[in-house]
Amino acid sequence: MATTKPGDNLKLESGWLCLDFSNTMDWHASEHPVESLTSYEALIAWTRAVNLLPERTAQQLLRVANQHPTEAARVLDRAVALREAIYHIFSAAAAGKSPSADDQAAFNVEFSRSLAKSRLAWTKTTFEWGRQGEDGDLDQMLWWIMRSATDLLISEDIQRVGECADDRGCGWLFYDTSRNRTRQWCSMRGCGNRAKAKRHQEKVKSEE
Ligand SMILES: [Zn+2]
């Protein structure tokens, strides 16, 4: 039974795999969200971008997907459904609201699947959760995303999850590491900058 471990150094914007995964949809909180997971290949491209799976595994999954397009499409559907559940559950948490029963149900479908593929792995000094499966499992990235989501959901760190305050509905989630948890924007480069520019414009206008 082979277990593929994720890349050693995840390249995450938010610091949490599950939150970065949620941010694969742009303008998530708007009427016109923009999907970036438009194919199984796009899902693999994301796993590469965040360094989730070793390169040889990514290559292998693309080959398997090519041979089994129906299964790959099914995994993509599951990935998108999981991402939506993750977004809505964390978005509700960030707003101090309860998650909907539908989102919890959708999340738990994948949670059950991931538990069935879990095992305890001994790492010389401690036990940790490990994935049990084959190297060519098309859905293996979902296991790691689920692991990240459940870790964060049951931890006190969930109080540090925020949703971008951009008024056009950015909807990106972030992990607030500021001491007083005052962060508002997904990034100062993106929405923070836009908000600053807008305030500046309004100030200039009011002074005219
Ligand atoms: Zn934003």
Side-chain angles (χ1 to χ4, degrees):
M1 197 64 82
T3 306
T4 306
K5 288 219 167 185
D8 286 335
N9 299 301
L10 288 175
K11 291 182 206 151
L12 299 173
E13 188 91 13
S14 69
W16 283 88
L17 185 64
C18 58
L19 302 183
D20 268 40
F21 185 59
S22 177
N23 296 347
T24 56
M25 181 82 105
D26 285 324
W27 307 109
H28 220 150
S30 80
E31 303 272 302
H32 304 287
V34 179
E35 178 64 272
S36 65
L37 300 182
T38 50
S39 63
Y40 186 80
E41 288 71 20
L43 177 61
I44 293 296
W46 176 78
T47 67
R48 276 181 163 142
V50 298
N51 205 25
L52 174 57
L53 300 173
E55 182 54 26
R56 65 179 162 76
T57 307
Q59 296 281 358
Q60 184 184 1
L61 294 185
L62 288 176
R63 281 197 302 276
V64 177
N66 213 13
Q67 288 155 1
H68 305 278
T70 312
E71 274 175 47
R74 223 173 274 148
V75 170
L76 176 67
D77 286 349
R78 280 172 51 202
V80 168
L82 173 61
R83 186 204 50 209
E84 290 310 289
I86 286 175
Y87 169 63
H88 290 294
I89 289 171
F90 281 103
S91 173
K97 293 179 186 159
S98 300
S100 79
D102 283 354
D103 289 319
Q104 290 180 66
F107 186 89
N108 278 323
V109 167
E110 280 303 325
F111 183 49
S112 299
R113 281 195 175 113
S114 81
L115 277 182
K117 290 271 176 120
S118 299
R119 63 168 192 172
L120 277 176
W122 177 247
T123 62
K124 290 187 181 142
T125 50
T126 51
F127 275 109
E128 62 177 40
W129 286 106
R131 187 184 76 88
Q132 174 174 275
E134 303 300 329
D135 279 349
D137 287 349
L138 287 171
D139 62 352
Q140 60 188 279
M141 70 292 285
L142 301 186
W143 193 93
W144 298 102
I145 294 162
M146 179 53 84
R147 169 76 205 285
S148 162
T150 48
D151 279 354
L152 186 50
L153 281 169
I154 62 174
S155 130
E156 280 185 9
D157 286 341
I158 193 175
Q159 290 165 14
R160 292 196 172 273
V161 175
E163 181 166 352
C164 183
D166 176 78
D167 57 9
R168 296 188 306 169
C170 165
W172 270 30
L173 301 177
F174 57 80
Y175 183 73
D176 188 353
T177 52
S178 69
R179 187 200 287 249
N180 298 321
R181 297 181 204 169
T182 49
R183 184 165 160 189
Q184 283 186 285
W185 315 108
C186 60
S187 73
M188 276 321 287
R189 277 175 290 137
C191 294
N193 230 343
R194 255 202 314 277
K196 210 167 107 191
K198 199 174 151 203
R199 273 200 305 277
H200 179 71
Q201 270 172 6
E202 281 164 0
K203 190 163 169 266
V204 170
K205 246 189 200 158
S206 71
E207 283 168 0
E208 275 171 5

